[in-house]
């Protein structure tokens, strides 16, 4: 159910994944070649799955910032990640983190789920954070 919601969040049809019995864990490990040949995805669909894979990697790193992996991130996790990973100044990291939580429509004092994060991941201006996306 969560996998279908994540796929829909990036405008992908969950049916090919369901039909082939692809679990969320398996989806995160499939290569572009496997997505094309096994699931019959086109280049646009493949790039969306890759976005999910990249979002998952970053979310996992963010989740570890609190030293307790619980499947949620908080604003401070993102802020610490930006400072440590991109050497961002504290005030810029705080501003970027607040904007991100605003885009996720999550209260800055509340935890955000992977589904919240993946919905905004592609639209985040990572170039402003020193990253690749943007």
């Amino acid at each position: 159910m969560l996998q279908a919601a994540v796929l829909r969040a990036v405008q992908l049809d969950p049916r090919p994944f369901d039909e082939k019995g692809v679990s969320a864990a398996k989806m995160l490990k499939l290569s572009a070649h496997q997505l094309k040949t096994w699931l019959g995805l086109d280049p646009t669909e493949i790039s969306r799955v890759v976005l999910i894979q990249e979002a998952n990697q970053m979310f996992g790193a963010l989740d570890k910032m609190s030293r307790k992996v619980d499947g949620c991130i908080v604003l401070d996790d993102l802020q610490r990640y930006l400072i440590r990973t991109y050497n961002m100044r504290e005030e810029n990291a705080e501003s970027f983190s607040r904007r991100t939580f605003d885009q996720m429509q999550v209260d800055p004092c509340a935890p955000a789920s992977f589904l919240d994060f993946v919905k905004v991941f592609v639209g985040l201006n990572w170039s402003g954070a020193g990253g690749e996306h943007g």
Side-chain angles (χ1 to χ4, degrees), residues 12 111 114:
L12 278 173
F114 178 68

Side-chain angles (χ1 to χ4, degrees), residues 6 20 30 37-38 50 53 58 62 73 75 93 95 109 114 131:
V6 169
K20 294 283 187 177
L30 292 174
T37 57
W38 193 41
V50 170
Q53 293 169 339
M58 179 173 272
L62 290 167
I73 61 170
L75 189 133
S95 173
C109 298
F114 178 68

Side-chain angles (χ1 to χ4, degrees), residues 24-130:
K26 176 123 178 132
M27 178 185 64
L28 295 172
K29 296 176 183 172
L30 292 174
S31 68
H33 177 74
Q34 290 170 314
L35 292 166
K36 180 180 179 183
T37 57
W38 193 41
L39 295 175
L41 301 184
D42 66 33
T44 300
E45 293 168 325
I46 292 169
S47 69
R48 290 179 181 164
V49 173
V50 170
L51 279 172
I52 293 170
Q53 293 169 339
E54 290 174 354
N56 181 67
Q57 286 179 330
M58 179 173 272
F59 189 85
L62 290 167
D63 195 12
K64 290 176 186 171
M65 286 283 120
S66 63
R67 296 201 175 117
K68 65 172 185 175
V69 178
D70 58 4
C72 295
I73 61 170
V74 294
L75 189 133
D76 287 346
D77 294 340
L78 180 55
Q79 190 172 336
R80 276 193 300 277
Y81 179 83
L82 293 169
I83 292 167
R84 290 181 187 166
T85 305
Y86 297 115
N87 200 27
M88 188 180 267
R89 290 189 354 220
E90 190 170 333
E91 58 273 7
N92 292 347
E94 181 180 352
S95 173
F96 187 89
S97 299
R98 287 196 183 282
R99 283 194 316 273
T100 301
F101 270 69
D102 285 348
Q103 289 176 358
M104 288 189 291
Q105 298 179 346
V106 174
D107 184 286
C109 298
S113 69
F114 178 68
L115 183 57
D116 296 321
F117 185 71
V118 77
K119 287 178 182 178
V120 302
F121 180 75
V122 70
L124 293 175
N125 183 2
W126 293 108
S127 61

